Amino acid sequence: MLPASDPALCHALAADLRAAGYTAEALRDAWGPAADDAIARGLRSPASRALGDREDALAVLGRLLVLGMPQAEASVDRALVRTGAAGLTRLGLADVERGEVRPRALVRPQSYADETGSGQWWIASDLDEAALGGPLPEDHVLGVGGASLTLAGLQLSTPAARGLDIGSGCGIQALRARAHVDHVVATDVSARALAFTRFNALLNGVGGIEVRQGSLFAPVAGEQFDRIVSNPPFVITPRADDVPAYEYRDGGMVGDDLVAAFVAGVGAHLAPGGVAQLLGNWETRDGVAGLDRVRRWIESSPVPLDAWVVERERLDPLSYAELWVRDGGTLPGTPGFARLVDAWLDDFGARSVTEVGFGYLLLRRPLEGAPTLARYETLHAALPGDGLGAHLATALEAHDRLGALDDRALAASVLLVAPDVTEARHHLPGAEDPTVIELRQGGGFGRALGVDPGLAALVGACDGDLPVGVLVDAIAELLGVQAGALRADLLPRVRELLFTGFLRFG
């Protein structure tokens, strides 16, 4: 059964959830942070034990809609005074049998925040492994997981007119995009996923989301968008009959071909100046590093693209196989686990894959002319959950501004050190001069950068008062070095500090 798109019932359910104080923070307070973290690992008993025999609305809804545990019909009717157990049934979210309400879906609260504000959604999705008590069905619609939160936090927070969410799943990316994009088209190969997207938009009172069924760019042939976002089914899965193909993670292609196909096709669907952001996996194959293969995909795009690609993690084939076999609900020691792992290893071996990278891509169609941004980097630090989209937007703005400045113009610019930047100096015991000077970034990607005394002095002096060139000349005199040579050394690094957010234009 699919969730029903009944506006009146969705409105009633939202009012009931609001009246019950059904928020992520309230639930975390109710069962504690350790139990809350355990839920993310598929363990629901700590939260259930913490709630005990509580019968208030928050506890009843937490058991039913977060943990996926049956509840007494009378308890649900008291918790949802407008909707009741009967309304949940009509919405396709539950069944009622002999006085007991059995959930057919989860509806979990999800907080969000960026520099423009904060809020909360309720996100419906299929029952997870803990609620099902076993492996997931292949048409499973996933709720909000770590990858979803990563991409949601990465979305640019600048305004745009038309957006596209490819592989919408439960609709979390479309909802996030609508905070800054006037109209969003959400597509998926799964009719079930689109039903959840439509339902979640109604439940949260978010208009301007249009759903279309189809693969990749087929539902939007001939159309262009200012913003494209995708958490596609990028998981590398063996193409074998006895290996489950989960719609939410498996795009039906060999290896990392799905991400390559997205890169090849996205340029034609970006309006000039439009930006696409997606998550992906890529293989290190036949001795060619994954990031180098991604670079080749982008350089081969029929439409030239600016590119900023970040690799966050690399896994060996065995670790990758175990991760995704577990993700489908088949655990070590259960029937089929070793067989599925071997299928993954055979698949990787056939293509001489030695590592799999995970990360994100930001691709932009230039307003005019050739691409000017080609940045491929590895950043293994954990990303913040929210607010990184603003950092990416600022970095793109700095890149474009720097492209119009030669070194003379940059030297004439007045700069400010970003307020989240700190400096650490490390000395050997008894030594007067530091052996290491490090700049640390509190926001953005949380970068740490080793610098020399000249660059440290320049960053420290960027207070919005004097131009860069004047500061460099003064530092050269203090250090007893030639000013021209110091400029030639520092200005390229100042450009990097402006792009990465350590410095800002005044």
Side-chain angles (χ1 to χ4, degrees):
M1 178 183 289
L2 300 178
S5 299
D6 184 319
L9 268 178
C10 286
H11 180 76
L13 178 57
D16 282 334
L17 296 177
R18 195 175 299 112
Y22 188 66
T23 68
E25 293 74 21
L27 287 168
R28 189 175 179 88
D29 289 342
W31 50 49
D36 203 59
D37 294 341
I39 293 170
R41 302 194 302 273
L43 301 173
R44 60 182 184 172
S45 60
S48 177
R49 290 166 63 90
L51 293 177
D53 58 1
R54 284 177 51 176
E55 280 294 305
D56 56 285
L58 182 67
V60 171
L61 296 176
R63 292 190 199 95
L64 182 72
L65 298 178
V66 174
L67 304 182
M69 300 172 64
Q71 298 293 290
E73 183 177 3
S75 298
V76 174
D77 285 340
R78 287 193 298 270
L80 301 173
V81 295
R82 300 165 183 82
T83 315
L88 288 183
T89 301
R90 292 199 299 275
L91 284 170
L93 302 179
D95 291 323
V96 180
E97 185 177 350
R98 291 191 292 274
E100 185 177 66
V101 181
R102 293 185 171 275
R104 296 182 62 91
L106 304 175
V107 182
R108 289 175 167 169
Q110 179 64 54
S111 299
Y112 65 90
D114 61 23
E115 79 287 354
T116 63
S118 61
Q120 183 161 269
W121 295 305
W122 299 294
I123 305 297
S125 63
D126 274 323
L127 297 175
D128 59 17
E129 301 99 313
L132 291 171
L136 302 173
E138 292 189 15
D139 64 349
H140 177 81
V141 176
L142 191 68
V144 179
S148 300
L149 292 175
T150 294
L151 183 59
L154 287 167
Q155 284 198 40
L156 299 184
S157 55
T158 48
R162 295 197 76 215
L164 172 64
D165 174 15
I166 295 179
S168 65
C170 67
I172 181 66
Q173 304 306 329
L175 286 171
R176 185 64 178 248
R178 272 291 288 119
H180 308 290
V181 181
D182 295 338
H183 181 83
V184 174
V185 176
T187 70
D188 205 292
V189 296
S190 166
R192 184 171 187 82
L194 293 177
F196 274 105
T197 294
R198 188 184 299 110
F199 175 85
N200 285 326
L202 282 172
L203 181 62
N204 292 282
V206 178
I209 296 177
E210 173 190 353
V211 300
R212 302 183 194 174
Q213 188 173 4
S215 178
L216 286 175
F217 302 103
V220 293
E223 298 181 57
Q224 291 187 334
F225 300 86
D226 307 297
R227 194 72 44 77
I228 298 176
V229 63
S230 182
N231 182 9
F234 58 74
V235 174
I236 297 167
T237 306
R239 305 265 65 87
D241 292 339
D242 57 350
V243 175
Y246 297 108
E247 288 181 343
Y248 74 88
R249 72 183 200 190
D250 175 25
M253 297 186 186
V254 174
D256 51 20
D257 286 354
L258 182 109
V259 180
F262 186 103
V263 171
V266 72
H269 295 279
L270 284 171
V275 172
Q277 296 176 271
L278 72 149
L279 304 182
N281 278 166
W282 38 80
E283 298 176 337
T284 292
R285 186 191 297 177
D286 291 323
V288 180
L291 274 181
D292 289 337
R293 296 183 64 245
V294 175
R295 184 193 296 267
R296 293 176 185 176
W297 299 340
I298 294 169
E299 291 175 346
S300 300
S301 168
V303 176
L305 296 170
D306 286 323
W308 185 3
V309 182
V310 174
E311 185 175 73
R312 287 189 53 206
E313 186 178 13
R314 286 194 295 266
L315 293 177
D316 62 82
L318 176 58
S319 298
Y320 188 90
E322 290 186 279
L323 170 67
W324 292 110
V325 173
R326 283 192 178 102
D327 178 79
T330 303
L331 303 179
T334 60
F337 183 84
R339 175 185 59 80
L340 288 173
V341 169
D342 284 340
W344 254 273
L345 296 180
D346 289 344
D347 181 60
F348 285 134
R351 293 190 303 281
S352 301
V353 174
T354 55
E355 281 186 322
V356 180
F358 169 81
Y360 83 88
L361 301 86
L362 186 154
L363 307 172
R364 183 176 65 169
R365 183 171 183 171
L367 282 170
E368 57 184 7
T372 58
L373 177 62
R375 188 179 183 95
Y376 301 82
E377 57 183 326
T378 299
L379 294 171
H380 286 164
L383 299 185
D386 291 297
L388 196 53
H391 173 75
L392 300 182
T394 301
L396 291 178
E397 182 182 358
H399 169 79
D400 294 340
R401 185 168 177 178
L402 285 165
L405 298 179
D406 60 15
D407 282 352
R408 183 185 299 274
L410 179 59
S413 300
V414 176
L415 305 181
L416 291 164
V417 62
D420 63 320
V421 172
T422 58
E423 180 187 280
R425 294 181 177 238
H426 304 274
H427 298 73
L428 292 173
E432 181 177 353
D433 296 325
T435 55
V436 175
I437 307 174
E438 188 177 60
L439 298 179
R440 295 175 179 169
Q441 186 179 52
F445 284 108
R447 299 175 190 264
L449 179 67
V451 298
D452 54 45
L455 187 56
L458 177 59
V459 171
C462 285
D463 57 4
D465 186 15
L466 297 175
V468 170
V470 174
L471 295 176
V472 172
D473 291 346
I475 292 167
E477 185 173 350
L478 287 173
L479 296 178
V481 298
Q482 203 273 330
L486 189 61
R487 282 196 185 204
D489 174 55
L490 292 184
L491 289 182
R493 292 194 280 167
V494 167
R495 291 179 181 273
E496 173 70 6
L497 291 180
L498 282 163
F499 181 84
T500 54
F502 285 86
L503 293 174
R504 299 177 180 177
F505 286 101

